[in-house]
Amino acid sequence: MPWLLAALIFGTYATLTITNYNRFAAHSYDLGIFDEAVRQYATLHAPVVHIKGVNFLILGDHFSPLLAALAPVYRVFPSALTLEVGQAALFAISVVPITKLAMRHTSAARGIAIGAAYGIAWGLQQAVNVDFHEICLAVPLLACSLCALVDRRWRACVA
């Protein structure tokens, strides 16, 4: 059930982001900035982002080497939309540990309700609505860390 819930949330967020993308409804420069950075990683170049300035190395502004993790997918699907859909997937994946934790500590039905409430929470909705940002890479990690904290698995929490 947690994975099914994550799939439903992914479908919802991916549909929203694809619709916004196709309507040219970008809300910030971040999508262009990160698209350019990941494009550079995908071609095995330093993440120089000319949107920020001539030969501007993004690592001095947004030190996010984890963005390179998106490069293999971007190389196959070279589009800013890849980043947007990837963000929707990362947010949806974070639903799984939260739902499993809630199911372990309550009941299956309540756990699914808590996972759904988390997945459609205002904060995640707004993050999807304002285009891509590197914070999406941290959301599944933070969800896992918080679950480990609740379960008092200290090493996993710190890792």
Side-chain angles (χ1 to χ4, degrees):
M1 283 306 291
W3 285 102
L4 178 59
L5 180 59
L8 290 171
I9 290 171
F10 169 70
T12 301
Y13 285 154
T15 300
L16 174 65
T17 199
I18 290 167
T19 301
N20 284 343
Y21 183 85
N22 288 335
R23 289 184 13 215
F24 298 102
H27 295 97
S28 71
Y29 291 106
D30 282 344
L31 182 58
I33 291 167
F34 291 116
D35 176 62
E36 197 168 355
V38 175
R39 181 182 313 122
Q40 295 296 331
Y41 281 127
T43 57
L44 303 176
H45 291 96
V48 173
V49 176
H50 297 289
I51 293 171
K52 299 283 286 179
V54 177
N55 295 324
F56 188 91
L57 186 62
I58 195 75
L59 295 176
D61 185 36
H62 284 79
F63 184 71
S64 300
L66 272 179
L67 282 174
L70 299 172
V73 176
Y74 189 93
R75 189 164 179 117
V76 176
F77 303 104
S79 168
L81 188 56
T82 300
L83 301 181
E84 297 263 51
V85 172
Q87 176 174 262
L90 288 164
F91 288 160
I93 287 170
S94 75
V95 168
V96 174
I98 299 294
T99 304
K100 286 182 177 182
L101 175 76
M103 290 172 73
R104 277 195 312 274
H105 288 272
T106 60
S107 66
R110 286 183 180 147
I112 292 165
I114 290 168
Y118 163 77
I120 62 170
W122 183 84
L124 287 182
Q125 288 179 29
Q126 291 308 304
V128 168
N129 199 36
V130 296
D131 303 320
F132 181 85
H133 199 272
E134 78 235 70
I135 192 66
C136 69
L137 297 161
V139 173
L141 299 173
L142 289 169
C144 290
S145 180
L146 289 172
C147 289
L149 179 68
V150 170
D151 286 338
R152 296 191 165 125
R153 294 181 294 123
W154 308 121
R155 285 190 181 133
C157 180
V158 171

